[in-house]
Amino acid sequence: MVGLLPQILFGVILVAGIGYFARNVKRLSRNIKLGKDVDVSDNKPQRWKNMARIALGQTKMVVRPIAGFLHVIVYVGFIIINIEVLEIIIDGLFGTHRVFAPLGTIYNVLIGSFEILAFLVIIAVVVFWLRRNIIRIKRFLNPEMKGWPKQDGNLILYIELILMFLFLTMNGADYQLQQLGAEHYTVAGSFPVSQYIAVLFQGVSESSLILIERTAWWLHIVGILLFLNYLYYSKHLHILLAFPNTYYGKLKPKGQFPNLEAVTAEVKLMMDPSADPFAAPAEDAADPEKFGASDVMDLNWVQLLNAYTCTECGRCTSECPANQTGKKLSPRKIMMDTRDRLEEVGKNIEANKGTFTDDNKQLLGDYISHEEIWACTSCNACVEACPVSIDPLSIIMDMRQYLVMEQSAAPSDLNNMMGNIENNGAPWPFNQMDRLNWVEES
C-alpha cells in the first residue's frame, strides 16, 4: 500500500485538477449561452478552412514578423510538449518511468525536440517580457492594460518560464542518474539542452539527484494542472477558444451589416398594398423585439465567445484610426469590458441560484461609454487586425442601434442627417428642388 501512495496521490491531484477545469468549462459554456441564438451553420468547408489557416496555421499572427515568430515558437512548444505531459500522466498513474522509452530512436527525437522547443520558449518569453516591461511597446500601455491585465500578462510569462525550467531540470537530473546507472533510470532519450544542466549535478549523490528529479517532476505536472485551471481567469483562455472562434468567425464581407428582422418585416408591411397599417397586433403576438444591445444578454453568443477569446494583444487598438487620433475608443477595451460584464452577470446568476437578479447595471454606460461608441468610424480595421477573428465592430454597431432606435440618443449631427434623409432624400439640408442651385451660382 505504501508503494502505491505516490500513484494514489497523483491520481487524486489529477482528478481534482481536471474536475475543477471541467467546472470552469461548464461555467464558461453557461455564460456564452446567455447570448442570443445566431445561425452560423453556413459554408462549413470555408469555416474549417478558416480555422485551419488562422488558428492552427497562425497566418494572421505572423503579419507582424517578430511578435508572430516568437508566438509561433511558444504555440508549437505548447502543442508538442503536451506529448511529454501524456507520458508524465501515464508514469504517474502506473508507477512507470519514461513509459515511451521503448520507442527507441523516435523517443530520442521527441525528447530532443521537446528540449530545443523548451529552450526556444524560454528565449521567446524573455523577449515578450522585455517588450512589455522594458521596451514598453505603446499598445501595452493603454489605460485598459493597467492593473490586473498587466499583472496577468506578466504572470503568464513567469509561469511559462518556470514550467520550462522545471522540465529541463527534471531531464538534467534524469540524464545524470542515467549516467550513474541508477535503478529505474534506464538510458533513454536525447538531451541536447539539459545535458548542460546535468553538469551542475556532478558530484551530487544518487539519493539527492532522485530527490531533485522527483521534485521537478511533481512541480512540473502540478504546475501544468494549475496553469490549466488558471486559463479561465486569464487572457490565455484563447489557447482553447481560438479554434471555435475562428470557425464561427464572420464569413460575409466586412462592410456588410445584417438587417434587423423586425425592421425588414415592417418595411415589407409598408410596401404591401393589401396590408392595413392601422390594424392592431394579434393577441398572441410576441413582445416587440429590443433593437440593438445595451447589455451582454442582448448580444449573440458568438459575440460573447469573441469576448472570452480576446488575447488582449492590442493589435486592434493600434490599427484603430479613432484611437490613433486621440479618441477614447479602444476596440480591445470593448472586448475586455464585454468579458468583464459577462463575468459579473455569471456571478450574479450563481449567487441567485441560477437566476439573474437585476443589479441596475449594464454594459452600455457602466462599462462602455457613449463617447467610445460614437468615436468608431466603422472602418473594420480592428476586425482585419485581430489574429483570432474577433469582431469588436459588431458589438459597437449593436449598441449604436440601441441608442438610436430605443433611446433616440444619437448625436445631434447624426439626428440632423437622418432628418434630412427623411425629409429631403439626402443627408444635406437642401430641398430636392434646390440641390443644383450651386451650379447657377458658380
Side-chain angles (χ1 to χ4, degrees), residues 180-299:
L180 295 175
E183 186 178 3
H184 301 304
Y185 290 87
T186 55
V187 177
S190 176
F191 306 94
V193 177
S194 62
Q195 62 179 323
Y196 297 103
I197 297 177
V199 175
L200 302 175
F201 300 140
Q202 289 182 358
V204 178
S205 67
E206 182 177 306
S207 59
S208 296
L209 279 172
I210 293 175
L211 179 62
I212 293 171
E213 189 272 336
R214 287 290 86 190
T215 300
W217 185 91
W218 277 98
L219 289 176
H220 182 63
I221 188 61
V222 171
I224 288 174
L225 289 172
L226 289 174
F227 181 65
L228 181 67
N229 284 286
Y230 174 68
L231 291 180
Y232 178 82
Y233 308 96
S234 162
K235 74 185 185 71
H236 257 49
L237 191 57
H238 72 269
I239 292 176
L240 305 177
L241 297 185
F243 290 89
N245 199 76
T246 51
Y247 178 85
Y248 292 117
K250 183 178 178 181
L251 297 182
K252 295 179 180 179
K254 290 185 174 61
Q256 181 179 340
F257 295 102
N259 292 323
L260 291 175
E261 292 183 7
V263 174
T264 301
E266 188 72 22
V267 171
K268 289 180 178 179
L269 181 64
M270 293 171 62
M271 298 179 67
D272 184 357
S274 62
D276 181 4
F278 302 104
E283 293 183 1
D284 59 346
D287 293 334
E289 178 184 354
K290 178 179 179 179
F291 296 117
S294 63
D295 210 347
V296 289
M297 291 81 80
D298 303 323
L299 299 171

Side-chain angles (χ1 to χ4, degrees), residues 98-342:
R98 295 196 176 274
V99 69
F100 294 151
L103 294 175
T105 303
I106 296 176
Y107 187 75
N108 293 342
V109 171
L110 284 174
I111 297 299
S113 301
F114 297 161
E115 291 217 340
I116 293 171
L117 279 169
F119 179 69
L120 291 175
V121 167
I122 289 172
I123 294 176
V125 166
V126 170
V127 173
F128 281 141
W129 187 89
L130 291 173
R131 283 162 55 88
R132 283 177 171 269
N133 300 281
I134 304 300
I135 301 175
R136 293 173 64 81
I137 293 176
K138 185 179 178 180
R139 60 192 169 98
F140 296 126
L141 303 178
N142 287 55
E144 68 267 17
M145 295 306 292
K146 293 180 180 179
W148 170 247
K150 180 179 179 180
Q151 296 173 15
D152 175 47
N154 283 330
L155 184 58
I156 290 168
L157 296 178
Y158 299 144
I159 292 173
E160 291 175 344
L161 203 62
I162 291 170
L163 289 176
M164 294 303 103
F165 273 118
L166 284 171
F167 170 66
L168 293 174
T169 300
M170 174 186 74
N171 279 359
D174 195 301
Y175 176 72
Q176 188 65 17
L177 285 165
Q178 290 181 23
Q179 305 309 305
L180 295 175
E183 186 178 3
H184 301 304
Y185 290 87
T186 55
V187 177
S190 176
F191 306 94
V193 177
S194 62
Q195 62 179 323
Y196 297 103
I197 297 177
V199 175
L200 302 175
F201 300 140
Q202 289 182 358
V204 178
S205 67
E206 182 177 306
S207 59
S208 296
L209 279 172
I210 293 175
L211 179 62
I212 293 171
E213 189 272 336
R214 287 290 86 190
T215 300
W217 185 91
W218 277 98
L219 289 176
H220 182 63
I221 188 61
V222 171
I224 288 174
L225 289 172
L226 289 174
F227 181 65
L228 181 67
N229 284 286
Y230 174 68
L231 291 180
Y232 178 82
Y233 308 96
S234 162
K235 74 185 185 71
H236 257 49
L237 191 57
H238 72 269
I239 292 176
L240 305 177
L241 297 185
F243 290 89
N245 199 76
T246 51
Y247 178 85
Y248 292 117
K250 183 178 178 181
L251 297 182
K252 295 179 180 179
K254 290 185 174 61
Q256 181 179 340
F257 295 102
N259 292 323
L260 291 175
E261 292 183 7
V263 174
T264 301
E266 188 72 22
V267 171
K268 289 180 178 179
L269 181 64
M270 293 171 62
M271 298 179 67
D272 184 357
S274 62
D276 181 4
F278 302 104
E283 293 183 1
D284 59 346
D287 293 334
E289 178 184 354
K290 178 179 179 179
F291 296 117
S294 63
D295 210 347
V296 289
M297 291 81 80
D298 303 323
L299 299 171
N300 64 57
W301 66 265
V302 173
Q303 291 170 316
L304 301 185
L305 175 63
N306 280 185
Y308 274 121
T309 309
C310 180
T311 70
E312 297 180 14
C313 66
R315 294 189 182 200
C316 54
T317 295
S318 67
E319 296 290 337
C320 175
N323 188 271
Q324 290 177 5
T325 54
K327 303 295 191 301
K328 192 176 180 180
L329 173 64
S330 168
R332 171 174 57 190
K333 179 180 177 295
I334 297 294
M335 303 315 302
M336 293 170 67
D337 286 343
T338 302
R339 181 183 60 207
D340 291 345
R341 173 56 180 165
L342 184 54

